[in-house]
Amino acid sequence: MNPRAVTPLLRIVALAMLAVGLLILPGCSSDSPSEPAPSGGTPPANPGGGTNFSITVTASPATLPAGSSDPALITVRVRQADGSAPAGGTTLVVTTTLGFLGTPGGPNNVPLVLNGGVANVQLFPPVTTAGTAVVQARLQNSVGQAQVVIREQDEFFIGFVSPAVGNPAGGDTVTINGGGFIAPVRVTFGGVNAQVLSVSGTRIRVRTPTSSSPSNQQNLVNVTVTNNVNGPDQATDTISGGFTYSPGGGETEIPTAFSVTPATGPNEGGTLLTIVGSGFEAPLQVLFGQGTDPGTFQGQEGEIRSITPTRLEVLTPAATGFGQNNQNASVDILFRNLDTGLASIATSVFRYGSEVLITSMGPGTSPYFGGVLVTIFGQGFDAPVAVELANFAQSVRSVTGTEIVVETVPIVTDSCDDVSGGVEVVNIETGDSATSGITFTYLVELFGPLVSSLSPTSGPQAGGTTVTVRGSNLRDAFVTFDGRPAAITSVSSDFSTLVIRTPFLPEESFLVAACDDNNDGTEGERFVPTAVNMTVVNRATTCDFDFPDAFVYAPSNSTCRGDTAPPPPPPPPGS
């Protein structure tokens, strides 16, 4: 008898199980039942019954720096099949693959009680680890999820002090703006400790100390911040001449720059800079050069095109000039009010030449099929440029001196694993380039195919049955029945539905059952309806989904074969 033969009773049991509509949870591998569903999605119930729920998980914001004390708010919304909320007091479980739920250093899974079908919890990022936190909410057999990108911890730096002028007697409240601040911090004005009032990741509020110079004299002092005092990553940064003690205090405003755009330009000069700040008042002198003391500053004067109290437009001078050589160098910019003599220096805010530098990027992930706009920040960018993310050349959309916008391209990979790599920018005409330690990731595993249902679930041996396959992430699909390719006739725009035609199934793939249609006591065998596996493979990533016993083929020939007893032997000769 055929080794695949089964009794009619076992065949009935197998078909009954198929009718229940068993569903394996999706993943990149067909044997990974615990893999989460795509963001906001809800996979159907696992074997074992239970109610199906629509679970939507959202995160605000969707990006956090590592070490941030500001969390993302995770909101879970649950609806039943009829659109109503589950009963009050219903409990679900929220888990995260990265970071802490509820409190800094808290657990990575918490139970939440729904109220009106909604529950909230805060996600705090880890102190140093970057990556993508997958936040999953599970209620019975239904799952929803969202992602929060944990980017590298903000680089520690001081940007500017506001206000930048105060009373020599001290006691003024001043904000130091920058990034990467980690308490405890120590702040000094001209080497004298200030009282720290509060610390966040981007701002430090202090009360200024008394000036070390006579109260009737103007005194330009350095502002120094020591970050994470006595910690393993203690660091110090200084703004030279960042604060001025002035008789009359804040009533006299010093011209101060907060930002300079663009941050680079050619050695020939002529770059139109937009400078945002405060205290700009004609007549104003703007010098490009080197120095920390306004009295001894050496530089070339820029041409002011327009001026308001908070905004300047200035043409850069040439990098070379009498007694000055700023060629291919970072320069300081001095701002001096010629009526009052008050001045400030913005250090290393502009660079002559074409040196390329990448400082940051966002977002740091893209689905493998691309289409995400990514902005790369830095300096020295000069169109045309070539950009690679994770070692794949990207489609450049726009370029300025400090920003490049690319649209991620689709990739093909021979593994269902995510693909990560660095960031590279090349100025094509000069060959100048820069790479960054920032990691960019193409998400592959998260977008593996998922099948929730087929309709119809049976058809003839000859194939050609039109079947509608429903699920999610069904792009780039290759579908087989019992290892034989099916023809895909259409794909929905959201890749949730495929329409296919089943392939022919040969007789050797059918199960057989014993039979004795003529009741002569001799058993034969017949082909019986046979359920086969359907497999969906993503051609671009090799991620697959295996649906066991998904489709039942009816044999073309179901007659009982071999149930006729052999004829009796002939009588012996001479009988």
Side-chain angles (χ1 to χ4, degrees), residues 35 159 213 268 426 512:
E35 196 68 15
S213 297
E268 295 77 11
V426 179
V512 297

Side-chain angles (χ1 to χ4, degrees), residues 87 126-127 161 226 336 376 380 420 456:
V127 175
V161 179
T226 302
R336 178 183 285 116
I376 301 170
S420 297

Side-chain angles (χ1 to χ4, degrees), residues 116-385:
V118 179
N120 297 287
V121 66
Q122 291 179 320
L123 172 70
F124 290 86
V127 175
T128 58
T129 305
T132 299
V134 179
V135 182
Q136 183 183 93
R138 179 180 292 274
L139 177 56
Q140 294 184 19
N141 297 314
S142 299
V143 175
Q145 73 177 34
Q147 291 184 342
V148 178
V149 176
I150 310 298
R151 66 177 189 268
E152 296 289 344
Q153 192 175 64
D154 287 340
E155 181 181 355
F156 164 57
F157 71 97
I158 306 174
F160 61 93
V161 179
S162 179
V165 62
N167 198 299
D172 293 318
T173 299
V174 169
T175 299
I176 301 171
N177 299 272
F181 298 144
I182 301 175
V185 300
R186 181 169 57 246
V187 180
T188 62
F189 285 68
V192 181
N193 287 334
Q195 179 186 358
V196 177
L197 302 177
S198 65
V199 181
S200 73
T202 57
R203 293 180 181 86
I204 303 172
R205 291 177 63 249
V206 300
R207 185 167 288 121
T208 60
T210 302
S211 172
S212 58
S213 297
S215 60
N216 62 347
Q217 294 181 10
Q218 180 176 310
N219 183 20
L220 184 67
V221 299
N222 297 342
V223 178
T224 299
V225 174
T226 302
N227 199 46
N228 195 17
V229 175
N230 295 326
D233 299 318
Q234 176 177 309
T236 299
D237 193 17
T238 297
I239 298 182
S240 299
F243 188 81
T244 299
Y245 287 106
S246 177
E251 296 177 4
T252 303
E253 192 164 7
I254 298 173
T256 304
F258 299 157
S259 66
V260 177
T261 306
T264 61
N267 292 315
E268 295 77 11
T271 303
L272 183 63
L273 302 185
T274 298
I275 301 172
V276 177
S278 64
F280 300 143
E281 183 178 350
L284 186 73
Q285 184 182 45
V286 180
L287 299 180
F288 291 73
Q290 309 290 335
T292 58
D293 185 342
T296 60
F297 190 92
Q298 297 292 319
Q300 300 293 109
E301 188 164 357
E303 178 186 344
I304 297 176
R305 287 296 182 90
S306 68
I307 181 170
T308 71
T310 59
R311 189 175 185 273
L312 288 176
E313 287 188 351
V314 181
L315 280 178
T316 60
T320 56
F322 181 74
Q324 189 73 36
N325 185 3
N326 295 322
Q327 191 168 8
N328 297 320
S330 293
V331 297
D332 309 324
I333 304 179
L334 177 139
F335 304 88
R336 178 183 285 116
N337 186 313
L338 296 178
D339 284 342
T340 64
L342 293 178
S344 70
I345 298 172
T347 59
S348 299
V349 291
F350 183 80
R351 180 177 180 85
Y352 282 104
S354 56
E355 180 179 0
V356 185
L357 176 65
I358 300 170
T359 57
S360 61
M361 174 194 64
T365 61
S366 168
Y368 76 89
F369 46 83
V372 174
L373 293 179
V374 176
T375 303
I376 301 170
F377 301 93
Q379 66 180 35
F381 304 147
D382 187 13
V385 299

Side-chain angles (χ1 to χ4, degrees), residues 406-432:
V406 301
E407 182 176 354
T408 57
V409 298
I411 67 169
V412 176
T413 174
D414 59 2
S415 168
C416 198
D417 297 329
D418 294 346
V419 178
S420 297
V423 181
E424 181 178 17
V425 173
V426 179
N427 287 341
I428 294 174
E429 292 182 346
T430 65
D432 294 320

